[in-house]
Amino acid sequence: MRLATWNINSIRTRLDRVTSWLDRQDIDVLALQETKCRDDQFPFDKFEELGYEAAHLGVNQWNGVAIVSRVGLTDIEFAFPGQPGFDKDAGESLISAPVVEARAIGATCGGLRVWSLYVPNGRSLTDPHYAYKLEWLATLRRNAQEWLSADPQARIALAGDWNIAPTDDDVWSAEFFAGKTHTSQPERDAFTAILDTGFTDVMRPYAPGPGVYTYWDYTQLRFPRKEGMRIDFILASPALAAAATDAMVDREERKGKQPSDHAPVIAVFSD
């Protein structure tokens, strides 16, 4: 089983890149984030032509998550239980209400339970979006714990753009990110809390040390200057992690014409 996750930063802009990449890398299941389209705009037919089923959740030009699979696609969920919403008008309107955004979709693919996750950015340490991010992660952690408690042998992958760099080795400059989101201690603690339930970052054993990144900002020549962050992860349940045989970042996909600012992460599991 070859599982991948990729923040594609608009599926309609980069569809040809995705479809050709699926074939070159022989991917069985792909979790996508930031599809940036409504469900009626998602290219289901193009994936079907390649032998893939797809499930997508998108309501506008923001966010959006999908799972694309050639090994089955069943038991689809369009949010994890209790997933928090965000009140975009917080502090500005007395009649506004939180909206559960298009940030999580789950499906069973060939015996593997896959979640494609687009964790909230947080924006700044004083923004309401930061508190929302921490609540979102805490709720996901509770679900992760419950899933493993219900079935310790479950094969579960939490895959996506986590918008967190868990250690200083995961950013090009700890000093640059001091006092900003993605590296704050509460965010790192929230990430660690999910690992503490039993999930494992499957890529790290195969790509140790600093300098292994999955995201490079479009500005300031970050990519050619190797100034990136590692914020995209596949976290595997104990039973799934035990079956891992390889993992990597496909850095080549950050090159070329109109790339996403993220590179795909691939993990390989034995049957």
Side-chain angles (χ1 to χ4, degrees):
M1 170 81 76
R2 291 176 63 84
L3 168 68
T5 183
W6 195 355
N7 179 321
I8 196 58
N9 194 14
S10 176
I11 186 62
R12 289 180 293 171
T13 300
R14 298 180 176 86
L15 177 60
D16 289 345
R17 289 190 73 122
V18 173
T19 53
S20 62
W21 181 82
L22 282 170
D23 182 57
R24 290 197 312 274
Q25 288 290 352
D26 194 28
I27 300 298
D28 295 303
V29 182
L30 173 62
L32 290 167
Q33 302 85 42
E34 276 205 280
T35 56
K36 293 186 175 180
C37 67
R38 302 187 308 268
D39 288 344
D40 64 312
Q41 298 170 316
F42 188 82
F44 292 97
D45 57 334
K46 298 299 183 181
F47 288 109
E48 185 176 350
E49 289 173 6
L50 297 176
Y52 289 85
E53 299 176 83
H56 178 260
L57 175 62
V59 295
N60 52 34
Q61 74 273 30
W62 307 112
N63 308 319
V65 285
I67 297 173
V68 178
S69 171
R70 66 181 183 186
V71 293
L73 191 73
T74 60
D75 301 322
I76 300 166
E77 292 183 82
F78 294 101
F80 52 79
Q83 181 177 320
F86 180 66
D87 185 350
K88 65 182 180 64
D89 298 316
E92 300 176 12
S93 171
L94 296 178
I95 60 173
S96 60
V99 174
V100 176
E101 299 177 303
R103 292 185 175 275
I105 187 170
T108 299
C109 309
L112 175 62
R113 187 66 180 169
V114 178
W115 281 94
S116 179
L117 304 170
Y118 180 40
V119 175
N121 178 283
R123 299 177 183 170
S124 75
L125 302 185
T126 59
D127 194 285
H129 209 258
Y130 181 74
Y132 163 55
K133 179 178 189 175
L134 295 179
E135 181 185 3
W136 203 95
L137 288 163
T139 306
L140 177 60
R141 185 207 63 78
R142 288 195 295 271
N143 278 282
Q145 181 67 74
E146 290 173 4
W147 294 331
L148 291 183
S149 295
D151 183 1
Q153 296 305 310
R155 292 165 61 97
I156 306 170
L158 307 179
D161 175 1
W162 291 76
N163 273 315
I164 299 171
T167 73
D168 287 350
D169 280 351
D170 298 312
V171 294
W172 66 272
S173 170
E175 292 75 20
F176 177 85
F177 288 100
K180 300 176 182 177
T181 59
H182 293 56
T183 61
S184 73
Q185 197 58 52
E187 290 167 285
R188 288 178 167 179
D189 289 346
F191 188 88
T192 299
I194 293 174
L195 298 180
D196 288 343
T197 68
F199 282 81
T200 299
D201 169 12
V202 294
M203 195 187 76
R204 185 47 102 189
Y206 299 97
V212 178
Y213 305 131
T214 65
Y215 165 84
W216 300 260
D217 197 313
Y218 288 127
T219 65
Q220 304 296 316
L221 297 175
R222 295 293 186 209
F223 183 68
R225 292 168 62 176
K226 300 181 180 180
E227 296 177 349
M229 308 174 71
R230 191 169 79 104
I231 58 175
D232 301 86
F233 299 90
I234 296 173
L235 303 188
S237 63
L240 182 61
T245 60
D246 198 7
M248 67 212 75
V249 179
D250 188 353
R251 191 175 181 276
E252 293 300 305
E253 283 303 312
R254 182 58 177 79
K255 300 177 182 179
K257 185 179 179 180
Q258 287 191 311
S260 170
D261 44 4
H262 294 251
V265 175
I266 306 168
V268 183
F269 303 97
S270 61
D271 293 334

